[in-house]
Amino acid sequence: MARTRALLVILLLVASTVVVGMKARISTDLRLFLPEPTNQAELLLHHQLDNGVSTRMLFMGLTGLASEELARSSNALVAELSGSSLLSKTVNQADQLGEEALQFVIRNRYHLSRRDLGKEFSEAGFREALSERLAGLTGPGSGLEKRFLRQDPTGEVLALLEEWQGKLSSHSRPLQKHGVWFSRDLNRALVLAEIRPGEVSLEIQEQAIKHVRDSFEEIHIPGLELILTGPAAFAVETGEDIRQDVRLLTWLAVTFVTLFLFLVYRSATMVSLVFLPLLAGVVAATAGILLVYGQIHGITLAFGITLAGVAVDYPIHMMAGHIRHHGDYPDYAAKIWPTLRM
């Protein structure tokens, strides 16, 4: 009977190890801790965390060379990144943003407008709007008026552009030199990239940043340096820093505990028996979470590992009880089993 139970435990651990090896995916998505959205504002928050601009923007600076060389390198990097399936947009000058942004405004003009559309489309409001369009056709902006008159007779697009232009003009914009964006001191050529829309996970962010770095290596010349920043870059760098810190602290903790136990027991076998339940518990618990949820959150894993000290205590108590009771493992195991089971 004991052998059968032992065999079942071994098979379970083997199966758990296979599951962890095949399905291991550690998530860092804090949205998992948010409650389910119940209104439009919460739905918008979830959408922005999934697919908002803040999760998709990458800002690049090229530095280390003269401005002419930086401009050529900037154009070369944009050309290298433009065909990427990971990036929806890569620009280094304002002209590249115009038409696409304008088409978005045209498609969504009634959603973006702050004006009273009921009044705009009333008989009096529509007559007033058409009078404004006719007046505009004789003014300096007649070209724009002609372009939008048929599809936008109330002038929503022109009103939005006029409003935003006033707001934009009050903020500083990148300096443009040699046809590309530059910092004010001309020491950096600036490039803006956007990760393709969709659910932007840390894995996708890592792939996009790796692609940017690989593309930079393709156009790299001596002296040229790449500065990469933005929310996605911060997330990837922070994730890597956390992984390195966890690895370092884990190995330090395991090393010191192992040395301490070896000094106490003077036996590699005893030390192995102490660690075996801990490793089995970590593997089985991780496999169970992966099977149910498909991923395990880094915070869950971190809090689970904090229980390692508790998990190690019980085998140590078993060893101590064995030493005191001269080998009465079954009796001592029966005494601590209720607490161990809890």
Side-chain angles (χ1 to χ4, degrees):
M1 186 65 177
R3 288 185 178 181
T4 303
R5 288 199 300 267
L7 181 60
L8 290 175
V9 170
I10 291 172
L11 291 175
L12 178 62
L13 288 176
V14 171
S16 299
T17 304
V18 172
V19 170
V20 171
M22 294 179 61
K23 299 177 65 69
R25 182 189 170 201
I26 299 177
S27 171
T28 57
D29 187 0
L30 293 178
R31 291 179 298 107
L32 296 176
F33 296 95
L34 292 175
E36 288 297 320
T38 57
N39 54 50
Q40 290 296 324
E42 292 175 359
L43 283 171
L44 178 62
L45 173 61
H46 276 251
H47 177 267
Q48 289 300 305
L49 290 173
D50 282 341
N51 195 31
V53 174
S54 62
T55 62
R56 295 190 280 118
M57 300 309 297
L58 288 172
F59 303 94
M60 290 165 264
L62 298 175
T63 186
L65 299 175
S67 61
E68 295 86 353
E69 290 292 335
L70 290 178
R72 281 194 287 269
S73 298
S74 175
N75 287 326
L77 181 60
V78 169
E80 189 74 25
L81 293 173
S82 294
S84 171
S85 60
L86 293 169
L87 303 175
S88 61
K89 180 188 302 177
T90 308
V91 295
N92 63 352
Q93 55 178 297
D95 293 342
Q96 295 169 321
L97 290 170
E99 187 59 31
E100 182 179 350
L102 182 59
Q103 289 301 320
F104 177 85
V105 175
I106 294 172
R107 290 194 303 271
N108 298 277
R109 59 190 181 276
Y110 296 123
H111 295 294
L112 297 170
S113 177
R114 296 185 181 184
R115 302 199 291 188
D116 185 352
L117 296 179
K119 179 181 178 181
E120 289 289 319
F121 283 95
S122 67
E123 182 179 349
F126 201 66
R127 182 183 296 110
E128 181 181 351
L130 288 177
S131 297
E132 292 176 357
R133 302 286 74 75
L134 289 173
L137 290 173
T138 63
S142 59
L144 286 175
E145 291 282 3
K146 289 178 182 178
R147 176 176 180 179
F148 300 122
L149 178 59
R150 178 174 296 184
Q151 65 185 128
D152 185 30
T154 59
E156 304 302 327
V157 173
L158 293 177
L160 287 168
L161 294 178
E162 183 178 354
E163 178 186 358
W164 293 340
Q165 182 62 37
K167 292 180 179 180
L168 287 173
S169 61
S170 63
H171 297 279
S172 60
R173 286 173 283 179
L175 176 69
Q176 195 157 319
K177 186 176 179 62
H178 305 302
V180 303
W181 284 329
F182 268 89
S183 60
R184 292 291 170 181
D185 57 9
L186 297 180
N187 287 331
R188 295 178 183 174
L190 307 177
V191 179
L192 174 68
E194 182 181 11
I195 299 174
R196 190 167 296 280
E199 185 171 343
V200 182
S201 63
L202 183 62
E203 181 181 357
I204 293 175
Q205 291 173 332
E206 289 175 343
Q207 292 174 2
I209 289 177
K210 182 180 183 302
H211 178 65
V212 169
R213 296 191 184 281
D214 291 343
S215 299
F216 173 73
E217 290 300 322
E218 291 292 328
I219 61 104
H220 181 263
I221 57 178
L224 183 64
E225 297 179 11
L226 172 68
I227 300 171
L228 189 59
T229 186
F234 295 151
V236 171
E237 184 175 354
T238 301
E240 183 57 32
D241 288 344
I242 291 173
R243 283 191 290 269
Q244 291 179 359
D245 290 344
V246 168
R247 283 194 291 265
L248 175 62
L249 294 174
T250 299
W251 281 112
L252 288 174
V254 169
T255 300
F256 283 124
V257 171
T258 302
L259 288 175
F260 174 78
L261 292 175
F262 188 78
L263 289 173
V264 171
Y265 290 117
R266 306 283 181 168
S267 169
T269 301
M270 298 291 278
V271 172
S272 300
L273 290 174
V274 168
F275 277 105
L276 185 60
L278 171 62
L279 296 176
V282 170
V283 172
T286 304
I289 292 175
L290 291 173
L291 285 174
V292 174
Y293 298 103
Q295 62 182 354
I296 182 169
H297 201 283
I299 294 178
T300 303
L301 193 59
F303 275 106
I305 291 174
T306 62
L307 298 176
V310 178
V312 168
D313 279 345
Y314 288 104
I316 292 176
H317 291 327
M318 283 288 293
M319 303 304 174
H322 166 63
I323 292 171
R324 289 200 302 269
H325 294 84
H326 307 291
D328 296 332
Y329 273 123
D331 292 342
Y332 195 72
K335 290 180 181 180
I336 68 170
W337 175 242
T339 308
L340 181 59
R341 179 175 58 227
M342 180 184 67

